[in-house]
Amino acid sequence: MLLGASLKAQELKGSYSGDLEVQGMQMELVFNFISTEDGYTATLDVPAQGASGIELDSVVLQDDIVIVNSAKLQLTYTGKLVNDRLEGTYNQMGKEYPLILEKTVKKKPGNTALPSTQAELDKLAALETGHYKYSVEDYFKTPEAFSFQLSPDGKYIAYMKRRDSGERDLYLKETATQKESLLKKQEEDLIRGFYWATKNRILYLQDKGGDENYHVYGVDVNGENDSDLTPFDGVRVNIIAKLKEEEEHVIVQMNKDNPRQEEPYRLNINTGAVTKLYTVKEGDAPVAAYNFDRKGNLRAITRVVDGVNTELIYKIDGEFQRVKLSEFGDSFGISSFNPNTENPDDAYIVSNLEGDKTEIQLYDLKKNEKIKTVFSNDTFDVSGMSLSRKRDFEIDYFRYTGEKTVIVPVSETYKKIHTRLKKEFGEKQFFTVGKTDDETQYMVAVTSDKIIGEYYLYDVAKDEVKLLYKLLPHLNSEDMASMKPISFKSRDGLNIHGYITLPENYKNGERLPLIVNPHGGPQGLRDNWGFNPEAQLFASRGYATLHVNFRVSGGYGKEFLKAGFGEIGRKAMDDVEDGIDFVIDQGWVDKDKVAIYGGSHGGYAVLRGMTKTPEKYACGVDYVGVSNLNTFMETIPPYWEKYREMLYKIWYNPGIAEEKEIMDEISPALHVEKIKNPLFVVQGANDPRVNIDEADQIVKSLRERGVEVPYMVKYDEGHGFAKEENRLDLYRAMMGFFAEHLKDKKPEAIKG
């Protein structure tokens, strides 16, 4: 990089704002300059359009002259740096305009005049006036300890531990002495995840304020050598392969060289040195996934072709060759290479190309032929398998999710372990979620619809099961509500599955207020049986909760998945409505007291439901939900760009007139006049997936009609609230909102 860049780094770094005057109108532009090892990167905000974080291609600084370029936007800005001011010219699509930029403090995202004040939200929360055995905090405060992970040698257990003030720090406990020590204290940003890289070192992930640009950090078990191993601003990093055979390294993927494409690197977990392993060349099909063997060799790549289809290319005799082309909705992917074979081209494949349901196959990738099906289920997609590294990678068990999660033991060793744990835990769900390298100790998680989670350590040699920790032990399982699987026919004949949660003290014949909770995604995800803290909170206040796995949900086969393509907000929404009608017909629910609440796609479903069938819902809570499909498509994060055509396939393509018409028809922000009943809107200001403008525009439109909409915005959150104090604010306000609009009078105390 040029010398001038390094000399002026401190002067240029930061945000510079100015008004661009075009045809008598002014539009504010904000350039955000970020200093890097190689010079600068920059992003552009256009507040009036609700756009922020637009990646720009290049920044050059030489002799006080700054040149910024973006090929996509067809813009160039050239300015002279004078103290904290840039004086220059803005050129876009061949037209030039003078533009002076002043250094500024970057503004908060969105329209800061719209959110409700804390006093207004506190007043809303105070509307829940009942006396209950359990408070909102009891369900949603961070557990005293959680995310337990056993070290490879079994000497330590690492876990997150809650401070009295709600922050969560990373701790270690010696298994022999039970001595506990603080390893990493939370500062401003949350530790989003961690794992044991070696017996002596832990890697953890952090982002800034929920922006999902994760960095990988490393720290030794003695607290030393704590460092950011990927200190690249504006770059999203994920760990994609752990190398047991070469423990000083892991494989990460990051969009360091191309914001729209993650590429793989070998990362030294001690020094942070990175070696790029593959470059996606200009003009190549974008890559969706990389497959490495246990020695860290790149063996296969999944690429997106024609925008929606995927191809698996596999290295044969040193060259990548296509093995399989799959249309969108079909699947053919590598679960793991099979080390327990003399043929290096054998792999376990997850595929639904030969039928409706996903199955696990043993496959010869070089010959491009199936050896055999190793596991399948006639009703549900198979979701995974586990191998024993100690026992030459023999298969221990298969897993799939039906009405509940099912573990199918395979190896004789694991059958004995499973039988022993079944004897210990009975009908509760239990899973081995970790083990030592020598497989003499297993971490076991136990859960049910009434137990959020318990962790145990099983010592195989001693045949001893020892309780480590119970999450939220103050929630007595006897007070908790049961989650009951249900199924019903949609109006066009599909078999739809879901769950109903009724209060623990429900009596037959009672017709309760209902909260229907469509899941996010929407494609490929589903609701599962188990402990759901939201449903339990709602049940404790006298509400029933309905979860519907509408068409496009995962786990039920590709026909069911594909039935939802191009039906978001239409037939997928019909399925939710049919579920409501079903539980009303069962006599469980008061049809005049139905609320709808959801996050992400679920938030969109709230807004769509209240504009599609407004008479059906007494009120709604939209949590980080899409309101306008047109603006949503324009503000996707850069690393989603390669999936744009898939997004169009799942939702709708604005470039096709008929589909653009549908988008306008089912975009709630364009039909706010149809919303008849109260709405509460919740948003994380830094959300990279659903831009804050999605929430702002629905709130602004409703208020312009004279409708007062409670609006909660958290400026230190992204796509969903991760910080405890923010979660508690959300649920307190939500319960006040539901109490105001679903209950006729002050509620009686309800057990549980």
Side-chain angles (χ1 to χ4, degrees), residues 240-241 243 246 249-254 257 263-267 274-280 290-292 295-299 301 315 320:
I240 58 174
L243 303 178
E246 191 185 336
H249 294 91
V250 295
I251 308 296
V252 301
Q253 65 178 23
M254 50 184 169
D257 294 342
E263 295 170 312
Y265 296 76
R266 187 184 300 269
L267 170 68
V274 294
T275 303
K276 196 171 187 179
L277 302 176
Y278 185 81
T279 297
V280 181
Y290 303 93
N291 292 102
F292 291 83
K295 295 181 180 179
N297 300 309
L298 179 60
R299 302 278 301 281
I301 298 172
K315 187 174 281 189
F320 281 106

Side-chain angles (χ1 to χ4, degrees), residues 200-268:
N200 297 315
R201 191 158 172 82
I202 286 177
L203 302 184
Y204 62 95
L205 298 178
Q206 284 184 308
D207 64 355
K208 296 293 182 184
D211 67 4
E212 299 187 9
N213 286 325
Y214 303 111
H215 288 206
V216 177
Y217 295 75
V219 60
D220 292 344
V221 293
N222 60 9
E224 297 178 357
N225 299 322
D226 184 8
S227 61
D228 184 353
L229 299 171
T230 56
F232 311 114
D233 288 337
V235 173
R236 176 184 171 92
V237 187
N238 281 314
I239 300 168
I240 58 174
K242 307 169 186 178
L243 303 178
K244 276 290 185 183
E245 311 299 322
E246 191 185 336
E247 288 193 329
E248 284 197 350
H249 294 91
V250 295
I251 308 296
V252 301
Q253 65 178 23
M254 50 184 169
N255 57 346
K256 186 168 77 72
D257 294 342
N258 182 348
R260 298 178 181 176
Q261 177 62 67
E262 299 93 343
E263 295 170 312
Y265 296 76
R266 187 184 300 269
L267 170 68
N268 187 298

Side-chain angles (χ1 to χ4, degrees), residues 192-475:
R192 299 283 178 168
F194 70 91
Y195 92 96
W196 287 94
T198 70
K199 64 181 181 181
N200 297 315
R201 191 158 172 82
I202 286 177
L203 302 184
Y204 62 95
L205 298 178
Q206 284 184 308
D207 64 355
K208 296 293 182 184
D211 67 4
E212 299 187 9
N213 286 325
Y214 303 111
H215 288 206
V216 177
Y217 295 75
V219 60
D220 292 344
V221 293
N222 60 9
E224 297 178 357
N225 299 322
D226 184 8
S227 61
D228 184 353
L229 299 171
T230 56
F232 311 114
D233 288 337
V235 173
R236 176 184 171 92
V237 187
N238 281 314
I239 300 168
I240 58 174
K242 307 169 186 178
L243 303 178
K244 276 290 185 183
E245 311 299 322
E246 191 185 336
E247 288 193 329
E248 284 197 350
H249 294 91
V250 295
I251 308 296
V252 301
Q253 65 178 23
M254 50 184 169
N255 57 346
K256 186 168 77 72
D257 294 342
N258 182 348
R260 298 178 181 176
Q261 177 62 67
E262 299 93 343
E263 295 170 312
Y265 296 76
R266 187 184 300 269
L267 170 68
N268 187 298
I269 67 170
N270 297 305
T271 68
V274 294
T275 303
K276 196 171 187 179
L277 302 176
Y278 185 81
T279 297
V280 181
K281 298 176 183 177
E282 187 71 28
D284 283 357
V287 173
Y290 303 93
N291 292 102
F292 291 83
D293 62 23
R294 61 194 178 97
K295 295 181 180 179
N297 300 309
L298 179 60
R299 302 278 301 281
I301 298 172
T302 300
R303 306 197 300 188
V304 180
V305 294
D306 305 322
V308 293
N309 301 323
T310 57
E311 66 172 358
L312 181 75
I313 57 175
Y314 177 67
K315 187 174 281 189
I316 300 174
D317 299 328
E319 298 288 334
F320 281 106
Q321 300 178 31
R322 177 186 283 184
V323 171
K324 198 72 66 177
L325 178 68
S326 305
E327 71 173 48
F328 187 45
D330 290 355
S331 62
F332 183 89
I334 297 171
S335 174
S336 68
F337 293 100
N338 180 19
N340 188 13
T341 176
E342 295 181 359
N343 182 3
D345 301 302
D346 282 0
Y348 292 110
I349 298 293
V350 180
S351 174
N352 63 7
L353 297 185
E354 296 184 356
D356 181 53
K357 305 299 186 294
T358 299
E359 64 179 25
I360 296 179
Q361 304 170 351
L362 188 60
Y363 203 92
D364 187 316
L365 290 166
K366 186 173 183 178
K367 293 180 180 178
N368 193 12
E369 63 182 28
K370 183 177 81 169
I371 299 170
K372 63 179 179 179
T373 296
V374 294
F375 187 71
S376 63
N377 183 273
D378 292 337
T379 308
F380 302 102
D381 292 331
V382 176
S383 55
M385 63 188 298
S386 178
L387 306 176
S388 167
R389 185 168 177 268
K390 179 187 176 184
R391 288 176 268 111
D392 295 325
F393 299 94
E394 73 170 323
I395 299 172
D396 268 345
Y397 62 82
F398 297 108
R399 176 200 291 245
Y400 70 92
T401 303
E403 290 184 342
K404 300 179 181 180
T405 301
V406 179
I407 301 295
V408 182
V410 177
S411 70
E412 290 304 315
T413 298
Y414 198 80
K415 284 179 179 178
K416 292 176 182 177
I417 292 171
H418 189 81
T419 299
R420 171 66 179 88
L421 296 177
K422 178 78 172 176
K423 180 180 178 182
E424 186 80 22
F425 301 119
E427 295 307 310
K428 298 174 184 176
Q429 287 197 143
F430 60 87
F431 313 100
T432 51
V433 294
K435 57 189 175 184
T436 54
D437 283 349
D438 63 7
E439 299 184 14
T440 61
Q441 297 182 76
Y442 286 79
M443 179 85 73
V444 184
V446 177
T447 185
S448 74
D449 56 343
K450 297 188 174 189
I451 300 172
I452 189 169
E454 300 172 352
Y455 285 86
Y456 294 81
L457 195 61
Y458 175 49
D459 188 309
V460 177
K462 296 179 181 178
D463 192 28
E464 179 180 84
V465 178
K466 183 193 304 182
L467 175 65
L468 293 175
Y469 202 84
K470 291 187 177 183
L471 303 182
L472 305 184
H474 56 278
L475 295 178

Side-chain angles (χ1 to χ4, degrees), residues 403-620:
E403 290 184 342
K404 300 179 181 180
T405 301
V406 179
I407 301 295
V408 182
V410 177
S411 70
E412 290 304 315
T413 298
Y414 198 80
K415 284 179 179 178
K416 292 176 182 177
I417 292 171
H418 189 81
T419 299
R420 171 66 179 88
L421 296 177
K422 178 78 172 176
K423 180 180 178 182
E424 186 80 22
F425 301 119
E427 295 307 310
K428 298 174 184 176
Q429 287 197 143
F430 60 87
F431 313 100
T432 51
V433 294
K435 57 189 175 184
T436 54
D437 283 349
D438 63 7
E439 299 184 14
T440 61
Q441 297 182 76
Y442 286 79
M443 179 85 73
V444 184
V446 177
T447 185
S448 74
D449 56 343
K450 297 188 174 189
I451 300 172
I452 189 169
E454 300 172 352
Y455 285 86
Y456 294 81
L457 195 61
Y458 175 49
D459 188 309
V460 177
K462 296 179 181 178
D463 192 28
E464 179 180 84
V465 178
K466 183 193 304 182
L467 175 65
L468 293 175
Y469 202 84
K470 291 187 177 183
L471 303 182
L472 305 184
H474 56 278
L475 295 178
N476 189 333
S477 62
E478 294 179 358
D479 296 331
M480 298 298 108
S482 297
M483 178 181 274
K484 177 183 177 181
I486 59 171
S487 63
F488 56 91
K489 289 287 186 183
S490 69
R491 65 191 67 178
D492 60 350
L494 284 185
N495 194 33
I496 308 293
H497 295 268
Y499 302 92
I500 185 74
T501 303
L502 301 171
E504 183 273 333
N505 59 352
Y506 173 78
K507 295 180 177 59
N508 285 334
E510 284 185 283
R511 292 185 177 270
L512 303 175
L514 173 71
I515 299 169
V516 58
N517 182 202
H519 64 69
Q523 78 286 354
L525 301 183
R526 57 160 288 179
D527 285 311
N528 298 315
W529 184 87
F531 189 93
N532 185 305
E534 290 182 334
Q536 293 294 345
L537 171 64
F538 300 158
S540 75
R541 270 54 176 170
Y543 308 121
T545 303
L546 173 64
H547 294 99
V548 176
N549 284 325
F550 44 84
R551 69 192 71 199
V552 95
S553 298
Y556 299 98
K558 64 184 178 185
E559 289 183 14
F560 189 79
L561 177 75
K562 292 181 179 182
F565 291 174
E567 294 294 347
I568 308 304
R570 300 196 297 165
K571 289 185 179 180
M573 199 70 217
D574 291 347
D575 295 342
V576 175
E577 295 165 1
D578 292 346
I580 295 170
D581 292 342
F582 173 79
V583 296
I584 290 172
D585 291 344
Q586 303 306 302
W588 299 324
V589 170
D590 184 339
K591 66 179 179 60
D592 296 321
K593 295 181 181 179
V594 176
I596 183 168
Y597 153 64
S600 194
H601 162 266
Y604 165 75
V606 170
L607 300 174
R608 174 60 178 149
M610 295 185 74
T611 51
K612 179 176 182 285
T613 52
E615 71 285 348
K616 210 169 192 73
Y617 305 104
C619 62

